[in-house]
Structures are given as C-alpha cells and as structure tokens.
Amino acid sequence: MDRLSNTIRPYAWGSTTAIPELLGVEPTGEPQAEMWMGAHPGAPSRLTRGPLNEVIAADPEAELGPEAVAKFGPRLPFLLKLLAAGAPLSLQVHPDLTQAKEGFEDEEQRGIPIDAPHRNYKDANHKPELICALTPFDGLCGFRDPDDAARLLEGLDVNSLKPYVDLLHAHPEEAALREVLTAVLTADRDEMAATVTEAAAAAERIGGHYEPYALIARDYPGDPGVIAAMLLNHVRLQPGEALFLGAGVPHAYLNGLGVEIMANSDNVLRCGLTPKHVDVPELLRIVRFQATDPGVLRPEADPGGEEVYETPIDEFRLSRFSLPEGSAPRDLMARTPQILLCTAGTVRTGELELAPGESVFVPAGEKTEISGNGTLFRATVVA
C-alpha cells in the first residue's frame, strides 16, 4: 500500500474554492476542477515507487491481479476523481464499446492525429461513469418525456420556440426528441442566439424550475446548448446520492463537489456549453433518443457496513464507509486493485493516516485495515 500524490486539473469550469476547502488549504484564485487518482497517462498519480502507470506496467499481474489483467488488459481500468464544478460542463454523450472501437479505427485510418483538437475518439474504450455528491450537486441527465419538455419550453412564451413545442407534442417519443434536438443544434446560429437570449431572459424573470437554465445561459450566452439542456432532466443530488451515466445518455454537470469514477477513456461527443470541439452529426448518431428517469442511486449497505453503489459495468465498483468514532477496525482485501479516498474526518489505512482529499493505492491481494472517524470511498474492479 502506498500514499498517492495526485494532480489537480485547472479546467475553466472548475470551482476556485471547493477542492481547497476539502483539502484544508488556501485557494489560489484559479479554478481547481478535478483531482485525478489513477494511472491515466495524462496525469498519473505518483507513489514512492514512481508514477502509478509505470509501476503497473512493470508488473501488471502483481499490481492489478491476474483476473483484472485477463479481463481488461495490463492497465488500471478506472480513473477516480474529485470533481468540483463551479460552472456547467459541456453537454455531452459517451459511445458504447462497439461505437468507440469503430470510431477509433475510423479516425486512425483517416490519419487524424491522436492529439488533434477535432478528434472525437482518443481510444477504443467506452466511458461509463458514476458521480457521487459530496455537497448538493446539480446536473442534467437523460431526456425528459417530450410532453414535459414541451411544457417547459411553452412556459417561456417565446415565439421562436413554438415550432419545437409543436414537434414535441406531435410525434412519437424517439422521433420527437430526435427532430427537436437536431433542429436546435443545426439552426442558423444568429437566429438561435436570439432565441436563447429571449428564452434566458424569460427564465431569469420566471425563476423557480427555470433557474438552472438561466444560470447556464449566464455562462454560455446565446449557446444552443441552453435550449438543448431544457430537453433533459434536471437533477439535484444530496450528499451521498449518485448518478450512473451509461452510453448514449446526454448529460452535463452544473455545480457542486463530488467523487467521480469512470472507465479509463477520453471519448466524449459534445454539442454545446463548451469552447471545445463540437461534432453535432456524430453526437446525434450516438445519442439514445428515449426519455429516461435519471435513476438517483443510494448506496446499499452490506453487513460489514460497506455501502455499495451498484452499476451494470465491471471496470469499476465504488463504495463508501462511514466510520463512527470508536468503531472496530475492518479488514479490506480484494483480488483486484483498490484506491481508497478519505473525504471527511480522519481515516487510518494500515500504517497511513488519511485526511480529507488524501488517498492510497492498494495492490491486488494486499490486505489492509481501516479505522478512524470519517468517510472513506473505495474504488476497485469487478473481475
């Protein structure tokens, strides 16, 4: 077991205060969006033995376990993060595994450099992800029922939105969502900017359940993603609640601090609320046009007190321990690698004491004991 030294990513949408407050350090005044824990080559965590990706590459079976290597190859199949959104992230979807492999092969054959800004598929993997709130956390997840979306747009009383309202009422669910999202994202930019400006002013005036969209429009004035966002479910997670985001589900995080875990991939298709590359045709090909319940997850506790966030994929498994003062130590061992992250109080893992924001890497098969008075998240692999 080894303590991790982790990189904080300064993306523009990041909160300037949330991660520093958790770590108990002074803010720098710059955005601190994500703290990465894992072996991603872009910002691998460091151990006393060296960068985690190099440590794993030197002996994959010893670090990951033979079962994980057989199932996912000789690399850590997940990335764990602290994510602190101070402004909306891009409106986006992720491909499934087949789409990712086909898209990656196509862009490779076309000779698009892997680091090109307009490249969609950086790798051949899918990117399911889970976000667990540490503070109240706002996000958008999955399509609303078309009639609900129509009522939301209609309530703004903006003439240029009425054709979208009519489409949402007139067609079967999949066709309605497809036609309206396509129309919004492919409309004349100047005309759509005027529509967004009028809609944002109405949302600001009305408030209530329109407030999230007024706030989005402040950060992205005139962006068609503001109207696209109104087609999606708005979700407010309370601390401890989580969302699972599978392939083809449109989503965006808006505000809050959480623990995020994802399969190790950089494949993102964006359609708005971002200065990054937007590929509307490819996103429309990947999106699943069906209304969904966001499906807020609450952890299920086992007899040992481990609270597990159940998901349908094997690249990662996220769970949580809430350790009360004076509680008996608990043994943790897995046949696969683990990253343990403290988010509150003080937690002892083996001989190491963790404060909020501190983490350790536990190689496969290594036993460790946890104790203390605090909250500990456990990330591992299902194999």
Side-chain angles (χ1 to χ4, degrees):
M1 183 174 60
D2 211 338
R3 191 186 298 272
L4 295 177
S5 175
N6 304 307
T7 298
I8 294 177
R9 311 289 280 195
Y11 305 133
W13 50 260
S15 167
T16 59
T17 58
I19 289 178
E21 285 177 4
L22 182 74
L23 299 178
V25 299
E26 286 295 316
T28 64
E30 298 298 318
Q32 297 191 29
E34 297 180 347
M35 186 173 78
W36 287 16
M37 291 157 279
H40 192 289
S45 300
R46 295 191 64 86
L47 295 73
T48 55
R49 297 179 284 159
L52 182 55
N53 58 332
E54 296 179 9
V55 169
I56 290 171
D59 194 346
E61 289 206 354
E63 303 297 334
L64 306 178
E67 292 165 309
V69 172
K71 195 167 187 176
F72 300 111
R75 66 172 193 162
L76 187 68
F78 67 80
L79 178 64
L80 184 67
K81 300 178 180 180
L82 281 174
L83 184 147
L89 281 70
S90 58
L91 192 57
Q92 60 186 255
V93 297
H94 305 305
D96 64 25
L97 193 54
T98 298
Q99 291 165 337
K101 289 178 178 178
E102 292 173 350
F104 180 76
E105 290 171 4
D106 173 65
E107 292 188 332
E108 286 288 280
Q109 290 174 359
R110 288 192 284 137
I112 301 174
I114 201 73
D115 57 352
H118 63 285
R119 176 137 184 174
N120 290 318
Y121 297 94
K122 310 287 188 183
D123 51 71
N125 201 14
H126 63 165
K127 194 185 178 188
E129 58 191 39
L130 178 79
I131 184 76
C132 178
L134 296 179
T135 66
F137 192 99
D138 284 283
L140 305 171
C141 179
F143 285 109
R144 295 174 181 267
D145 178 271
D147 286 335
D148 291 341
R151 282 190 289 271
L152 189 70
L153 293 177
E154 196 168 25
L156 293 169
D157 195 26
V158 173
N159 285 334
S160 52
L161 290 176
K162 289 180 180 177
Y164 305 139
V165 172
D166 293 340
L167 283 172
L168 288 166
H169 280 313
H171 290 278
E173 176 182 292
E174 181 178 347
L177 295 170
R178 180 183 296 277
E179 287 190 34
V180 172
L181 184 63
T182 302
V184 168
L185 297 179
T186 58
D188 179 86
R189 297 290 293 188
D190 291 338
E191 291 179 4
M192 179 52 66
T195 295
V196 172
T197 300
E198 189 176 353
E204 189 93 43
R205 184 176 63 254
I206 299 167
H209 55 280
Y210 287 101
E211 183 179 359
Y213 310 104
L215 294 174
I216 293 170
R218 289 180 200 171
D219 288 301
Y220 295 99
D223 193 307
V226 175
I227 305 302
M230 295 186 187
L231 302 177
L232 308 187
N233 297 296
H234 173 249
V235 184
R236 168 161 283 196
L237 300 177
Q238 296 304 315
E241 295 180 334
L243 285 175
F244 174 73
L245 299 157
V249 177
H251 62 277
Y253 301 146
L254 303 181
N255 186 271
L257 175 67
V259 174
E260 186 184 41
I261 189 167
M262 61 182 61
N264 213 347
S265 172
D266 292 322
N267 291 328
V268 179
L269 286 307
R270 304 175 183 88
C271 69
L273 312 183
T274 180
K276 294 183 178 180
H277 174 60
V278 168
D279 188 334
V280 170
E282 185 65 8
L283 178 133
L284 292 172
R285 190 179 73 84
I286 296 299
V287 169
R288 295 180 180 174
F289 289 98
Q290 59 187 47
T292 57
D293 185 304
V296 174
L297 297 177
R298 296 172 182 85
E300 298 287 335
D302 68 13
E306 184 175 15
E307 301 174 311
V308 180
Y309 294 90
E310 297 288 353
T311 65
I313 52 95
D314 292 343
E315 281 88 344
F316 60 77
R317 175 183 181 271
L318 186 71
S319 60
R320 175 180 77 164
F321 292 89
S322 298
L323 302 173
E325 188 171 7
S327 60
R330 304 171 192 192
D331 290 333
L332 296 185
M333 190 174 77
R335 299 190 306 272
T336 53
Q338 304 177 72
I339 292 179
L340 307 178
L341 166 68
C342 176
T343 58
T346 303
V347 177
R348 178 169 288 277
T349 62
E351 298 301 314
L352 299 176
E353 190 171 272
L354 303 183
E358 295 184 331
S359 56
V360 296
F361 175 75
V362 185
E366 184 172 314
K367 179 179 173 181
T368 187
E369 185 180 83
I370 62 170
S371 61
N373 179 22
T375 302
L376 185 77
F377 280 84
R378 181 192 196 194
T380 187
V381 181
V382 180

